[in-house]
Amino acid sequence: MNTSLHDFIRGLPKAELHLHIEGSLEPELMFALAQRNRVALPYASVEEVRAAYDFSDLQSFLDLYYAGAAVLQTEQDFYELSAAYIARARADNVRHVELFFDPQTHTGRGVEIAIVFAGIARALREARLEHGFSGSMIMCFLRHLSQEDALATLQAALPLREQYADLWIGVGLDSGEVGNPPEKFAQVYAQARECGLHLVAHAGEEGPPAYIHGALDALQVERIDHGVRAEEDPALMRRLQQSQMPLTVCPLSNLKLCVVEDLREHNLARMLRAGLCVTVNSDDPAYFGGYMNANFIATADALHLSREELVQLAKNSFTASFANAEQKQQWLREVDEYQAQFAAN
Ligand code: ADE
Ligand code: ZN
């Protein structure tokens, strides 16, 4: 354990680019919302919920994640969920988040898409006004459902575009990866691109490197979420390095979902040292044992990251964001100033 490095991490300005807001639902809030909305949960206590978080793969997690999300019903629920995440992020010195949300998880239960947008947006706007916290929203399609379902979701969301022009910046692709390749969603991504939305997709978490190629070629994404299996394909590694295509890596998620057996085997440091634009993120922090700083600290300890490498990761998170160039420069200066100030003390 390195106390000084941990302190350095805690104060380091950073951005989070891979966070499912539904995955930030802590068991305490899950219980409170279940009671308020009279939703039955298959658990007797918060402790029992936490004890159930013992996953063998992505699907074993998704089963619990979708069941837990059933407590989210009203605009106020989505607001409280998002406000709780933002408070945790701010405590970790996260300056900017581009959060994912899964409308189909909610519309499938009869919750209107406008309610989902409104609750998340209220929390993000309030945090911007009160704390200067910067945030935006990326609407994800569930890849275990059909492309028709994704197209209908995009159509349902587009009338909200103007109302959330300050927040809704892009689309993503999540849920069970294997058997649901990116090519399945080429048409809905083409439509989203025509609308001027940014494009990202989960690829190479459990799926093979071919899915990363597919996300780049068939979907034309601007960032890859996870991407850790790229290492199996040297030509793909060169492509990612040369294009500086960002990868939003989630170390504690990979550990909890058995993508890696031990954090000491994680390839984040190897990819960083090979010059890829990798970032650190929390994915579903309520389920995977920690928010941003927990991810940074566990990874730094397991992979012996240097202070310079941590600075590079923080800078990558801002560079890889969809914020404007001026804003990015301001954050990058903040990181430099922080590093200089920490060194002087
Ligand atoms: N939805 C929430 N977390 C996810 C993950 N890690 N992979 C795919 N879909 C998800
Ligand atoms: Zn994810």
Side-chain angles (χ1 to χ4, degrees):
M1 206 180 73
N2 184 332
T3 317
S4 147
L5 199 70
H6 293 184
D7 285 344
F8 181 73
I9 287 169
R10 288 187 192 101
L12 186 61
K14 49 187 83 71
E16 174 143 58
L17 306 178
H18 187 154
L19 176 280
H20 302 264
I21 199 65
E22 295 90 347
S24 70
L25 178 61
E26 291 287 344
E28 288 78 8
L29 185 58
M30 191 191 291
F31 259 76
L33 296 184
Q35 216 164 31
R36 191 158 88 193
N37 295 328
R38 297 190 170 76
V39 175
L41 284 176
Y43 312 103
S45 66
V46 163
E47 290 70 35
E48 222 180 87
V49 183
R50 286 217 163 84
Y53 292 173
D54 182 20
F55 310 115
S56 52
D57 58 11
L58 175 58
Q59 193 57 53
S60 66
F61 153 68
L62 290 172
D63 293 342
L64 287 197
Y65 165 82
Y66 294 130
V71 303
L72 296 163
Q73 301 204 341
T74 67
E75 189 262 6
Q76 180 69 17
D77 299 342
F78 287 96
Y79 166 77
E80 287 177 25
L81 173 72
S82 308
Y85 164 73
I86 292 166
R88 299 247 195 184
R90 290 184 57 241
D92 281 0
N93 272 302
V94 173
R95 295 280 192 276
H96 175 70
V97 65
E98 294 179 2
L99 66 80
F100 297 146
F101 63 112
D102 289 341
Q104 288 157 296
T105 299
H106 314 298
T107 54
R109 301 181 285 111
V111 176
E112 281 182 31
I113 194 166
I115 286 191
V116 183
F117 268 87
I120 300 170
R122 177 152 67 97
L124 287 170
R125 284 174 178 157
E126 186 179 275
R128 183 169 59 205
L129 270 176
E130 290 183 4
H131 307 293
F133 182 83
S134 165
S136 45
M137 302 165 64
I138 296 180
M139 182 178 85
C140 289
F141 303 117
L142 298 181
R143 68 200 303 160
H144 68 274
L145 300 179
S146 66
Q147 170 158 254
E148 286 64 40
D149 212 313
L151 284 163
T153 302
L154 182 60
Q155 285 313 311
L158 284 176
L160 303 169
R161 187 89 195 276
E162 210 175 310
Q163 196 178 344
Y164 299 106
D166 56 326
L167 293 171
W168 179 25
I169 57 164
V171 299
L173 185 64
D174 61 7
S175 194
E177 186 182 8
V178 174
N180 296 299
E183 289 79 1
K184 177 176 162 186
F185 296 94
Q187 195 189 341
V188 72
Y189 268 68
Q191 277 193 18
R193 189 179 335 120
E194 270 173 35
C195 294
L197 288 161
H198 287 293
L199 310 176
V200 302
H202 284 53
E205 177 186 19
E206 284 190 344
Y211 282 27
I212 302 176
H213 283 291
L216 295 171
D217 296 328
L219 305 185
Q220 298 193 22
V221 298
E222 299 158 83
R223 285 199 305 249
I224 295 286
D225 297 313
H226 293 294
V228 289
R229 287 195 59 190
E231 213 182 22
E232 296 165 31
D233 179 342
L236 176 58
M237 286 288 279
R238 280 194 296 280
R239 179 179 184 183
L240 295 172
Q241 192 274 328
Q242 281 164 7
S243 61
Q244 285 297 291
M245 175 61 57
L247 304 185
T248 62
V249 178
C250 307
L252 288 178
S253 163
N254 294 154
L255 184 64
K256 276 295 254 186
L257 301 188
C258 307
V259 170
V260 290
E261 270 179 32
D262 191 305
L263 215 46
R264 287 171 299 188
E265 290 161 17
H266 200 287
N267 61 10
L268 178 123
R270 288 197 296 277
M271 295 197 293
L272 181 69
R273 289 164 193 161
L276 274 70
C277 182
V278 293
T279 63
V280 169
N281 306 271
S282 71
D283 206 5
D284 300 284
Y287 291 87
F288 299 152
Y291 289 75
M292 280 291 268
N293 285 354
N295 272 273
F296 265 91
I297 287 171
T299 309
D301 286 351
L303 302 177
H304 307 290
L305 299 179
S306 68
R307 205 181 274 188
E308 289 67 33
E309 286 171 332
L310 291 162
V311 165
Q312 187 63 53
L313 287 167
K315 286 188 169 180
N316 288 353
S317 73
F318 292 120
T319 309
S321 77
F322 294 128
N324 66 45
E326 193 185 332
Q327 177 66 80
K328 285 186 192 188
Q329 284 311 316
Q330 191 182 320
W331 284 323
L332 293 173
R333 270 197 306 275
E334 244 186 89
V335 175
D336 283 333
E337 283 162 16
Y338 174 75
Q339 187 181 16
Q341 183 198 341
F342 202 91
N345 286 325

